[in-house]
Amino acid sequence: FQYDNDRVPCCVDDRGAAPVPEHVSHGQLIYLIAEYVRLTGDTAIARTNWPRIVAAVGYIDTLRRQRLTPEYDAPDKRHFRGILPPSISHEGYSAKPMHSYWDDFFALRGLKDAAELAVTLGELEEARRIGALSDTFRVDLIASIEAAMRVHNIDFIPGAADLGDFDATSTTVGLAPGGELHRLPRAAVERTFARYYEEFVKRRDGPQTWEAYTPYEFRVPGSLLRLGWRSRAHEVLDWLFKDARPVEWNQWPEVVWRDPRIPRFFGDVPHGWVASDFIRSVLDLFAYEDEQETGAALVIGAGIKDQWLREGDGVRVRALPTRFGRIGYHARAVGDTIVFSFDPGSRMPAAGIVVRNPSDLPARRILVDGREASPDAGGDLVLLAAAREVRFEY
């Protein structure tokens, strides 16, 4: 259903491809193919769809060039320079198209993945070309975010360059699946999700005057984990989890109303995107990929609660798919020690495996296969070689 001009439609129904001006789908298509290849090792789908991938990259480049004309060098338009033009892919902007960073984060994800797929397929010249485009786009995107923050006099990452609006559920895509935590302005990222948590607490604990919210917020706990805020991630998951509607369906609608019987719009039921947000955040509790300047790392146990390790046989993870192969481990508490035992067979990531300290207490000593090891600045352990067992002693 890709158009002759290389645009990827946002959706397809029995009438065919939708002509709505949305700009997320081009990057999402490439990401979908790349993630499938990473998790399965099956490159045939990438080879078959390589012309489509190159076409989607070309369409992203065509879009960004609309904001690279001299007009966008002017001070009052500098925060639009080099990013994608306005769209309504973010439903909050359906009344009027906006320069949505939601679009840009997915476009950057797609460009990075297209370059990676080019390497996988041996298309090295294309890998260099698309990689350079990805790097340039990232520079323009971050410059746009910083300029928009100055224009709107805000200390958080806005949802749209035009508005300077607060929208953490949109910004979270820059962290996952975007993978840009280590390149985005850190203070602004932390302020964005600190403000989200502050507003969440007011909604949860304050006067119950709120009317509705969208369970897209299920994607936020993954970002909270990446910032090292384990307890906040669990608070959000626990509160959102209770609002399954109907409870017996084990799913969430697109809109949750405080009054469950109010006759108002509640969107699609079951809602697939909300479900995927929930699944992604829950899997992040046990393992997630962390893209760093030195390559990707695999973070283990960022969301494991200490109390889980002291109940029954602790926590077992079996054959969890990651880009480094299927991983498995057993984590449990033995007295004043927490033990991680790893299944063999996973590939070692370029930046290593990070084993998060599951306790709020600093470890008195860390042992890797019986030998003492040093934690990093956050108190976690970074493994650069395969290990069978890690012990945190308190």
Side-chain angles (χ1 to χ4, degrees):
F1 293 95
Q2 195 167 13
Y3 285 88
D4 290 340
N5 68 350
D6 302 331
R7 181 167 72 90
V8 178
C10 63
C11 60
V12 177
D13 60 19
D14 56 1
R15 295 168 295 181
V20 179
E22 300 197 10
H23 298 327
V24 286
S25 43
H26 330 299
Q28 287 172 340
L29 173 65
I30 303 170
Y31 168 68
L32 174 62
I33 296 170
E35 191 74 346
Y36 174 82
V37 171
R38 282 190 287 259
L39 296 181
T40 67
D42 177 8
T43 61
I45 191 172
R47 175 56 69 189
T48 300
N49 287 282
W50 180 242
R52 298 290 190 185
I53 294 167
V54 173
V57 167
Y59 192 75
I60 291 171
D61 192 29
T62 297
L63 290 173
R64 65 180 287 273
R65 288 180 182 275
Q66 295 179 27
R67 293 297 180 270
L68 286 173
T69 60
E71 174 185 358
Y72 294 96
D73 290 328
D76 63 333
K77 293 189 175 181
R78 184 63 184 78
H79 53 307
F80 302 136
R81 187 184 184 279
I83 62 174
L84 303 192
S87 88
I88 61 168
S89 56
H90 184 303
E91 292 180 352
Y93 311 138
S94 57
K96 182 181 179 182
M98 294 290 166
H99 291 83
S100 171
Y101 291 124
W102 167 265
D103 290 341
D104 298 300
F105 287 137
F106 273 114
L108 180 56
R109 177 74 267 170
L111 293 176
K112 290 192 296 183
D113 286 340
E116 179 182 308
L117 288 171
V119 172
T120 299
L121 298 175
E123 302 282 352
L124 300 186
E125 186 60 36
E126 282 289 74
R128 285 188 286 270
R129 180 184 73 85
I130 299 172
L133 174 59
S134 171
D135 292 343
T136 300
F137 183 67
R138 177 189 291 113
V139 170
D140 287 341
L141 171 56
I142 293 176
S144 169
I145 291 170
E146 292 174 338
M149 291 172 62
R150 291 192 297 271
V151 166
H152 299 290
N153 192 28
I154 55 177
D155 59 358
F156 55 86
I157 295 178
D162 322 62
L163 301 175
D165 53 328
F166 178 74
D167 186 5
T169 57
S170 171
T171 303
T172 192
V173 175
L175 279 63
E180 293 298 310
L181 173 59
H182 300 287
R183 298 181 180 94
L184 290 168
R186 181 71 181 215
V189 172
E190 292 189 357
R191 181 59 199 138
T192 301
F193 292 101
R195 174 171 167 176
Y196 167 83
Y197 178 73
E198 291 163 5
E199 295 185 359
F200 161 77
V201 170
K202 288 179 182 177
R203 187 192 340 155
R204 182 191 64 185
D205 300 341
Q208 297 299 288
T209 57
W210 62 274
E211 284 194 296
Y213 73 91
T214 62
Y216 294 136
E217 291 182 34
F218 263 122
R219 71 182 71 121
V220 174
S223 291
L224 299 176
L225 287 176
R226 284 166 172 77
L227 292 169
W229 300 343
R230 178 193 293 124
S231 62
R232 293 182 178 185
H234 278 287
E235 288 179 52
V236 174
L237 279 173
D238 290 347
W239 193 82
L240 297 176
F241 194 84
K242 67 177 177 55
D243 282 331
R245 306 276 173 83
V247 173
E248 294 80 6
W249 287 19
N250 296 314
Q251 57 79 53
W252 293 266
E254 189 173 12
V255 181
V256 167
W257 295 88
R258 184 166 56 89
D259 177 356
R261 299 189 64 81
I262 196 169
R264 300 275 181 86
F265 172 82
F266 50 82
D268 302 321
V269 181
H271 199 279
W273 197 314
V274 171
S276 72
D277 288 333
F278 167 69
I279 291 168
R280 290 172 63 86
S281 284
V282 169
L283 292 179
D284 285 348
L285 299 175
F286 304 99
Y288 66 82
E289 292 106 349
D290 183 26
E291 296 179 32
Q292 304 177 8
E293 296 290 349
T294 55
L298 183 65
V299 180
I300 299 290
I304 291 179
K305 288 184 174 182
D306 181 272
Q307 71 189 68
W308 294 351
L309 304 177
R310 303 181 186 282
E311 297 171 350
D313 195 30
V315 171
R316 286 188 180 271
V317 174
R318 294 186 177 93
L320 178 64
T322 76
R323 68 176 67 181
F324 311 109
R326 292 181 179 269
I327 65 159
Y329 64 86
H330 180 201
R332 64 200 185 281
V334 182
D336 292 333
T337 300
I338 292 176
V339 182
F340 284 81
S341 303
F342 294 96
D343 297 348
S346 299
R347 299 196 308 274
M348 182 57 62
I353 292 176
V354 178
V355 185
R356 285 276 174 88
N357 178 0
S359 173
D360 293 331
L361 299 173
R364 176 176 54 83
R365 189 168 68 148
I366 301 177
L367 299 176
V368 178
D369 292 337
R371 296 184 177 182
E372 192 159 351
S374 299
D376 65 8
D380 305 319
L381 177 70
V382 180
L383 292 170
L384 297 176
R388 297 184 306 277
E389 182 184 87
V390 171
R391 289 176 171 262
F392 291 87
E393 297 181 353
Y394 302 94

